[in-house]
Amino acid sequence: MNEKAIKETYKELYKYLDETNDCYVCGGHNFSSWAKEEYLEALYCNDCEMISVNPHFTEEGLDQFYNRYYENRVLSKDLGEQRKEMYIQDRDWVLNYISKGKVLDIGCSGGDFLGTFDSNEWEKYGIDLTDDALKSASDNYNIKTFKGRVWETDVGQDYDLVMMRGVIEHLKNPLPAMKKAIDILKPGGLIYLTATPAGDAFAFNVYRHKWRLFTPLEHIHFFSQKHLNKLFSEYGALPTAVHYPYQETPYANVAQDHDRIIKDIIKINKSGSRDKVEYSQAFPGSMLTGVWKKN
């Protein structure tokens, strides 16, 4: 969305602002301010280091926002081309750990990511909230679809792989989705998260509200590997592998990105304000990818 559309969205959604919640990871309520845009503020849990936008919108408010989300992504053609390249990279990474089976993509959108998986090797299912996205997934990729929130929907059982690509950070309360994902896996099955903004990213600490992945209208939670390991282990899955894509992505320019962050750190320290720098660039450690295996 452009700046004008973002401003209008904030105005439209203000009436849906919810109450402050305890930390979803540890249940604590000892917070410090981390970053803020308009009236949405990311709070840092002083007990477990989790960062979440708190408070955020009610489920009704999120529904209003995401009714337009798929359309906006489809219209963003330039980003779409880069996203296609990342779909292939993300698919190839998880294929190092599992090569075939029954797969569910939670938040499948129009099916573009799941559509890259070989139909001869995979029995493909997807779930999303938006009718036009699900129609695209079904019509274009022959994906069997479900509509609804995964923790409220019967999506079947005995999956070999359950995926959430760029999804978990969008969920108001991610815990029911995480638990459901593990529950519907076969023993030994994998839960796969990718394109997830890392809460302990060095660039997030440097840029705060100027971090490009801090988009609080949509990104609510900023997990670290530590937080994901803790939560998934409570639901019966242990870490297999974690990766932080950067250098192989279409967004990276190693020399330029390193030079830029050095200059921005100096500028922030001299001025005492992050408003003196532009929004951040790609940087190592900013995006998290991982697989966890069900016991």
Side-chain angles (χ1 to χ4, degrees), residues 28-225:
H29 49 269
N30 178 19
F31 298 118
S32 300
S33 179
W34 186 261
K36 187 174 183 180
E37 181 178 284
E38 297 288 338
Y39 52 79
L40 292 180
E41 184 174 21
L43 300 181
Y44 174 92
C45 178
N46 293 308
D47 296 323
C48 75
E49 302 177 331
M50 180 65 190
I51 300 171
S52 296
V53 177
N54 191 8
H56 205 266
F57 303 120
T58 62
E59 292 288 1
E60 184 181 1
L62 287 172
D63 286 347
Q64 291 292 322
F65 178 75
Y66 284 111
N67 281 339
R68 294 172 292 183
Y69 190 74
Y70 175 68
E71 180 182 357
N72 289 334
R73 283 173 68 91
V74 169
L75 292 175
S76 180
K77 293 181 180 179
D78 291 340
L79 286 176
E81 290 305 313
Q82 291 179 318
R83 212 177 283 125
K84 287 177 184 177
E85 186 174 338
M86 286 308 305
Y87 289 158
I88 300 301
Q89 291 188 17
D90 291 340
R91 180 204 64 191
D92 289 349
W93 189 83
V94 77
L95 290 179
N96 290 314
Y97 304 96
I98 185 169
S99 59
K100 60 183 179 180
K102 182 180 178 182
V103 56
L104 174 70
D105 190 5
I106 299 174
C108 66
S109 190
D112 295 322
F113 178 47
L114 188 51
T116 67
F117 286 70
D118 187 346
S119 296
N120 293 319
E121 302 293 341
W122 294 94
E123 182 183 351
K124 296 187 278 189
Y125 297 82
I127 182 168
D128 207 275
L129 296 172
T130 310
D131 287 327
D132 53 354
L134 291 171
K135 187 176 187 304
S136 173
S138 177
D139 292 351
N140 295 328
Y141 301 107
N142 199 29
I143 294 167
K144 300 170 188 175
T145 61
F146 305 94
K147 183 180 179 182
R149 298 180 177 92
V150 69
W151 59 93
E152 299 173 340
T153 306
D154 182 2
V155 294
Q157 297 284 332
D158 296 325
Y159 286 94
D160 299 284
L161 177 65
V162 174
M163 309 190 299
M164 286 190 274
R165 186 187 190 281
V167 168
I168 195 170
E169 65 273 13
H170 295 255
L171 302 177
K172 181 176 175 60
N173 181 354
L175 304 187
M178 297 171 78
K179 183 178 186 303
K180 180 67 174 283
I182 303 303
D183 286 345
I184 61 178
L185 281 171
K186 294 177 180 177
L190 299 181
I191 173 73
Y192 175 42
L193 267 59
T194 188
T196 300
D200 57 354
F202 178 69
F204 195 12
N205 193 7
V206 170
Y207 288 99
R208 303 295 178 96
H209 67 283
K210 285 296 191 78
W211 193 42
R212 194 167 294 278
L213 297 175
F214 179 65
T215 52
L217 285 171
E218 52 186 299
H219 289 170
I220 304 174
H221 302 289
F222 300 91
F223 291 94
S224 70
Q225 178 184 349

Side-chain angles (χ1 to χ4, degrees), residues 1-4 6-7 10 35-38 203-204 206-217 256-257 260-261 264 267-268 273-283 286:
M1 288 187 290
N2 60 39
E3 186 174 347
K4 181 179 179 181
I6 291 173
K7 293 282 187 183
Y10 270 109
K36 187 174 183 180
E37 181 178 284
E38 297 288 338
F204 195 12
V206 170
Y207 288 99
R208 303 295 178 96
H209 67 283
K210 285 296 191 78
W211 193 42
R212 194 167 294 278
L213 297 175
F214 179 65
T215 52
L217 285 171
Q256 179 177 297
D257 295 339
R260 161 87 186 278
I261 202 168
D264 283 348
K267 190 180 294 184
I268 291 166
S273 173
R274 292 176 174 85
D275 291 328
K276 302 297 183 181
V277 299
E278 299 297 323
Y279 282 93
S280 70
Q281 72 287 11
F283 198 74
S286 291

Side-chain angles (χ1 to χ4, degrees), residues 223-235:
F223 291 94
S224 70
Q225 178 184 349
K226 175 182 73 174
H227 299 126
L228 293 171
N229 287 348
K230 176 183 184 298
L231 293 171
F232 279 132
S233 68
E234 290 174 358
Y235 300 136

